[in-house]
Amino acid sequence: MTIRVALVDDQELIRVGLAMVVDATDDIQIVVQAVDGVDAVAKLNETPVDVVLMDVQMPRMNGVEATGLVTARENAPKVILLTTFDLDEYAVAGLRAGASGFLLKEASAAEVLHAIRAVHAGDAVLAPSTTRRMLEQLAGARAASPLVQRLTARERDVLMEIAQGLSNAEIAQRLFLSEATVKTHVGHVLAKLEVRDRVQAVIFAYENGLVRPS
């Protein structure tokens, strides 16, 4: 299966560079290029894609607003935000808007390709250098949501591991479970917390004080 990708960035050089990286693969194809959020929303109305690489800071409509519009659709594509600075305040807002992760523009070609494949498979992608700062912003003293009470003890354990950024395989090893069992638990966690993906589950955990940055 070929993963269809949209590139959204107001800088032509960035678009050209990303297109060269993606076009060198056999399983990923660029099908849309857009210069800002307005252009992206219009083009994605006409051409379905699986993953969007979305710049944050763009004229007319920024990546956060565009992400909210794109991910609100039925059968919405996954969105990976691209940020220039690891202190970019829009990263958190973008994740809240529905993005499945974010990368710094200095990420390597291998990291970009891994991110595309990972979010397409349903995983989250968070740039390691910015994750801690993001979680510090999300951590608060608010009471836990009543939705937490829906979780079983084991599902809560799994949520805690998700919040630490662990993959299903790593969670399975840590909790002495099979990977298939972990996958089932993850599905239950997402459904019970009414979140779309692992990134939203991480945000939920930190916003509700279930875990805090180390």
Side-chain angles (χ1 to χ4, degrees), residues 23-188:
D23 288 342
T25 70
D26 295 326
D27 61 327
I28 308 174
Q29 179 183 6
I30 302 298
V31 296
V32 171
Q33 291 196 36
V35 299
D36 57 33
V38 173
D39 190 27
V41 170
K43 288 181 176 178
L44 292 175
N45 280 333
E46 302 174 353
T47 306
V49 303
D50 302 305
V51 177
V52 181
L53 293 176
M54 180 84 74
D55 185 23
V56 172
Q57 295 177 307
M58 297 181 291
R60 295 205 297 171
M61 180 187 292
N62 64 45
V64 174
E65 186 177 354
T67 293
L69 293 174
V70 169
T71 59
R73 301 172 177 175
E74 186 176 358
N75 299 320
K78 303 290 187 178
V79 176
I80 301 172
L81 292 171
L82 298 174
T83 66
T84 302
F85 305 106
D86 63 358
L87 290 177
D88 194 335
E89 67 275 17
Y90 293 120
V92 173
L95 293 175
R96 287 187 173 129
S100 294
F102 64 93
L103 288 175
L104 297 181
K105 287 187 176 180
E106 64 185 27
S108 68
E111 289 171 332
V112 172
L113 296 177
H114 169 75
I116 293 171
R117 295 180 179 116
V119 299
H120 183 253
D123 286 331
V125 176
L126 303 175
S129 62
T130 54
T131 299
R132 184 174 182 275
R133 291 186 180 95
M134 181 195 76
L135 296 180
E136 286 174 343
Q137 291 184 55
L138 293 173
R142 297 173 5 182
S145 165
L147 295 178
V148 176
Q149 303 306 316
R150 297 180 178 181
L151 302 179
T152 66
R154 179 56 81 188
E155 288 165 354
R156 185 161 176 156
D157 290 340
V158 170
L159 174 60
M160 298 303 98
E161 303 301 334
I162 292 174
Q164 300 303 319
L166 299 185
S167 67
N168 285 358
E170 291 168 332
I171 295 173
Q173 184 177 22
R174 181 171 291 192
L175 298 182
F176 303 102
L177 299 171
S178 71
E179 194 167 341
T181 298
V182 170
K183 184 176 181 179
T184 298
H185 283 316
V186 170
H188 290 165

Side-chain angles (χ1 to χ4, degrees), residues 7 9-20 33-35:
L7 298 180
D9 198 297
D10 60 319
Q11 298 182 49
E12 183 179 4
L13 185 60
I14 297 295
R15 296 198 309 274
V16 170
L18 288 172
M20 290 177 62
Q33 291 196 36
V35 299

